[in-house]
């Protein structure tokens, strides 16, 4: 649910904990009375002033920099005051409390409260106001949170491109082409008696084909951006003592999971996020899959299957040193059958053969052989995981995107396919053609927020940090 957008708001805008500098930010209309009492004087616009921040008795809470950004030339589009003090939590809380206290005090010149209605900001409310006041669009607002949360350099650079408007510009280009095509269709519908085929003369089919090609390029970059942000979940599965924990350690480059020759050592889920060329992969080690009378191991196996069912990719690990055994091969076949039953369609299962160093003369018929001990095949596996994830490195063209962006673009593509079918039918389906183009434009508008429900905005901005 959207917050009240007319209230003045205040919040600590820096992370919790101690630091060299901390910021208290105020946004609203007519901040001059509040500025005067806290800073002791008025401030020149967009000029940092070093001065004491005063409490109710006129004593200094701290000395720091105060900056006033008059509307509309501010982050939120409203009047903004930033108080940059020493970054101790107590100091910042005192400044926050002083702002709230001073707001309700009567101003000596007017007898009215200095800033009536001032309240602590909700998460993401500063960025929400920047969006509502036209300073940024919705995709750029989301990029702010993504830039803060970026876990890799590639993700940070891609979020920066989205924040600068690269992704939004692509969407606007598609939208403008779509609006032009809609105009041609509406002209044909509005003036049928003129006997002028607007669509044929304007090469509407060619325009639609070009639009679909442009959409395909944007979709590809958006999928890459979503991958940079979300990553994929990779689950390592197999029989006990197949080398699953060793593989996790090898991929992570650290001793995360306990490794021993005793079957059933891993009884719970162990996960680690690794990065391959900036793409986050959430790798999960699971208990060995087998029948057991041990209640704890049964729970571990059940949890393993739960992880497998939610995987984006499964690494099915086989033990080369036991591959010739009939019982072992049968157990692997049983696991493969269960994988085919439990996994959703399209989830890839990679056959990996471990312990290559202990059985160098034996090679699998299919799949990859590797050794967690020597590192043989580990780099090849990393590259294969990137392929499975669908990563195609385009370092200067990828912008960070979210799942909702990818889904919206997919809906645009579906509407354009139907539009092409109606366009081929000419006059018999022009009404349906116009409707599909309208729906495609609505889906595009959802990305930048030019059309969207209030509850969607509330969900997006509520996930921001306080003071942003």
């Amino acid at each position: 649910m959207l917050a009240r957008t007319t209230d003045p708001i205040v919040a600590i805008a820096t992370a919790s904990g101690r630091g060299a500098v901390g910021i208290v930010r105020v946004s609203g209309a007519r901040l001059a009375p509040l500025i005067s009492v806290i800073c002791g004087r008025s401030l020149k616009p967009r000029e940092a002033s070093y001065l004491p921040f005063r409490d109710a008795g006129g004593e200094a809470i701290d000395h720091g920099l105060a900056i006033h950004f008059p509307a509309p030339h501010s982050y939120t589009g409203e009047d903004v005051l930033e108080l940059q003090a020493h970054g101790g939590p107590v100091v910042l809380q005192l400044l926050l409390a002083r702002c709230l206290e001073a707001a309700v005090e009567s101003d000596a010149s007017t007898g009215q409260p200095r800033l009536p209605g001032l309240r602590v900001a909700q998460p993401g409310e500063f960025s929400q106001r920047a969006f509502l006041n036209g300073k940024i669009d919705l995709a750029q607002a989301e990029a702010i949170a993504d830039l803060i949360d970026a876990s890799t350099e590639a993700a940070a650079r891609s979020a920066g491109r989205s924040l600068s408007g690269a992704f939004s510009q692509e969407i606007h280009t598609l939208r403008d082409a779509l609006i032009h095509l809609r105009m041609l269709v509406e002209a044909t519908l509005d003036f049928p008696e003129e006997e002028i085929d607007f669509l044929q003369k304007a090469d509407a089919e060619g325009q639609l084909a070009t639009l679909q090609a442009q959409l395909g390029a944007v979709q590809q970059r958006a999928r890459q951006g979503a991958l940079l942000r979300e990553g994929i979940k990779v689950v390592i599965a197999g029989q006990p003592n197949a080398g699953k924990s060793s593989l996790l350690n090898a991929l992570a480059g650290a001793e995360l999971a306990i490794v021993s020759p005793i079957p059933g050592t891993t009884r719970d889920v162990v996960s680690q996020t690794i990065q391959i060329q900036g793409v986050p992969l959430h790798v999960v080690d699971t208990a060995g899959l087998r029948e057991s009378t041990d209640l704890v191991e049964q729970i571990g196996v059940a949890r393993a299957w739960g992880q497998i069912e939610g995987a984006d990719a499964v690494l099915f690990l086989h033990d080369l040193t036991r591959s010739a055994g009939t019982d072992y091969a049968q157990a692997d076949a049983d696991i493969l059958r269960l994988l085919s039953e439990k996994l959703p369609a399209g989830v890839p299962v990679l056959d990996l053969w471990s312990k290559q160093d202990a059985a160098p003369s034996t090679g699998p018929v299919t799949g990859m052989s590797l050794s967690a001990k020597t590192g043989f095949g580990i780099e090849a596996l990393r590259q294969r995981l990137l392929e499975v994830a669908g990563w195609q490195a385009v370092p200067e063209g990828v912008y960070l995107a979210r799942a909702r962006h990818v889904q919206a673009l997919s809906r645009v593509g579906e509407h354009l396919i139907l539009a092409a079918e109606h366009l081929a039918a000419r006059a018999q389906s022009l009404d349906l053609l116009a409707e599909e183009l309208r729906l495609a434009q609505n889906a595009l508008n959802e990305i930048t927020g030019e059309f969207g429900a209030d509850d969607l905005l509330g969900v997006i901005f509520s996930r921001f940090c306080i003071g942003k």
Side-chain angles (χ1 to χ4, degrees):
M1 183 176 181
L2 287 176
R4 301 186 304 275
T5 58
T6 57
D7 294 345
I9 54 175
V10 60
I12 298 172
T14 42
S16 59
R18 286 191 288 270
V21 178
I23 298 175
V24 173
R25 176 182 288 166
V26 186
S27 181
R30 296 178 293 279
L31 299 185
L34 183 71
I35 293 172
S36 180
V37 71
I38 290 179
C39 299
R41 61 180 176 84
S42 61
L43 300 174
K44 293 183 179 179
R46 293 173 295 281
E47 182 178 297
S49 301
Y50 179 75
L51 43 74
F53 306 132
R54 302 189 180 279
D55 63 16
E59 298 295 325
I61 298 172
D62 191 12
H63 289 70
L65 296 179
I67 310 175
H68 179 211
F69 301 92
H73 305 296
S74 69
Y75 176 66
T76 63
E78 303 172 328
D79 284 350
V80 170
L81 171 65
E82 283 197 358
L83 304 175
Q84 300 182 12
H86 292 94
V90 174
V91 172
L92 296 178
Q93 286 295 337
L94 286 173
L95 280 177
L96 177 65
R98 178 57 186 147
C99 288
L100 293 168
E101 178 188 42
V104 299
E105 293 173 351
S106 296
D107 184 65
S109 60
T110 65
Q112 300 296 318
R114 293 189 179 93
L115 193 58
L118 180 66
R119 59 175 173 81
V120 176
Q122 297 180 9
E125 195 168 359
F126 287 92
S127 294
Q128 183 188 88
R129 293 193 178 195
F131 163 71
L132 294 174
N133 292 327
K135 305 298 290 187
I136 54 176
D137 64 32
L138 192 55
Q140 289 174 295
E142 290 171 308
I144 295 169
D146 293 337
L147 183 59
I148 293 171
D149 293 336
S151 58
T152 69
E153 180 182 348
R157 290 183 181 276
S158 297
R161 278 190 286 272
S162 292
L163 179 55
S164 69
F167 183 36
S168 301
Q169 184 57 51
E170 298 250 23
I171 299 303
H172 292 155
T173 299
L174 290 173
R175 186 198 61 190
D176 292 345
L178 192 51
I179 289 173
H180 185 262
L181 192 55
R182 287 187 66 190
M183 177 190 67
L184 295 175
V185 175
E186 296 294 342
T188 303
L189 287 170
D190 290 343
F191 303 103
E193 69 281 358
E194 296 295 330
E195 296 183 355
I196 299 175
D197 192 344
F198 289 98
L199 300 182
Q200 186 173 4
K201 287 182 176 293
D203 188 23
E205 288 185 352
Q207 289 190 39
L208 181 54
T210 300
L211 181 58
Q212 287 178 299
Q214 292 173 338
L215 174 65
V218 174
Q219 282 181 295
Q220 196 253 357
R221 286 193 289 274
R223 282 192 293 266
Q224 301 296 288
L227 183 59
L228 273 179
R229 181 179 185 272
E230 306 289 346
I232 65 169
K233 179 180 178 181
V234 178
V235 177
I236 307 173
Q239 294 187 54
N241 210 28
K244 299 184 297 299
S245 298
S246 296
L247 178 57
L248 171 64
N249 292 343
L251 286 171
E255 296 296 322
L256 302 174
I258 298 173
V259 176
S260 86
I262 303 172
T265 298
T266 301
R267 296 193 171 201
D268 205 350
V269 172
V270 179
S271 61
Q272 175 69 18
T273 298
I274 66 173
Q275 300 170 11
I276 304 176
Q277 294 184 20
V279 178
L281 300 180
H282 313 294
V283 185
V284 182
D285 179 25
T286 58
L289 304 176
R290 68 174 176 182
E291 297 289 336
S292 176
T293 57
D294 185 319
L295 179 59
V296 176
E297 188 172 0
Q298 289 175 4
I299 295 172
V301 171
R303 290 182 177 179
W305 281 113
Q307 293 292 325
I308 290 169
E309 291 172 8
D312 297 308
V314 174
L315 305 183
F316 186 11
L317 201 58
H318 312 275
D319 186 345
L320 270 175
T321 64
R322 292 185 282 165
S323 60
T326 303
D327 292 343
Y328 185 83
Q330 182 58 51
D332 265 4
D334 293 340
I335 293 172
L336 184 60
R337 175 180 54 80
L338 288 172
L339 286 173
S340 63
E341 294 174 0
K342 293 178 178 290
L343 283 175
V347 175
V349 177
L350 303 185
D351 283 302
L352 305 178
W353 298 79
S354 65
K355 307 180 184 179
Q356 181 270 349
D357 57 292
S361 60
T362 306
V365 176
T366 58
M368 300 174 60
S369 61
L370 50 85
S371 169
K373 183 177 180 180
T374 66
F376 178 83
I378 298 299
E379 185 57 35
L381 175 58
R382 289 194 177 100
Q383 296 307 312
R384 182 73 180 100
L385 287 173
L386 285 179
E387 294 174 10
V388 168
W391 175 250
Q392 298 173 2
V394 191
E396 296 306 318
V398 174
Y399 29 69
L400 218 60
R402 297 189 170 201
R404 79 170 191 90
H405 303 153
V406 176
Q407 292 164 4
L409 290 171
S410 178
R411 293 201 306 276
V412 174
E414 293 168 1
H415 290 307
L416 292 186
I417 289 173
L418 292 174
E421 295 175 359
H422 296 316
L423 181 58
R426 294 292 178 182
Q428 295 88 338
S429 300
L430 289 186
D431 286 331
L432 295 175
L433 169 60
E435 177 63 8
E436 291 299 337
L437 294 178
R438 184 187 71 82
L439 292 173
Q441 183 180 344
N442 285 349
L444 277 179
N445 288 342
E446 288 178 17
I447 295 174
T448 54
E450 291 162 87
F451 173 86
D454 284 354
D455 56 352
L456 172 63
L457 303 183
V459 168
I460 288 171
F461 287 108
S462 67
R463 295 177 182 174
F464 280 55
C465 54
I466 297 290
K468 199 59 187 169

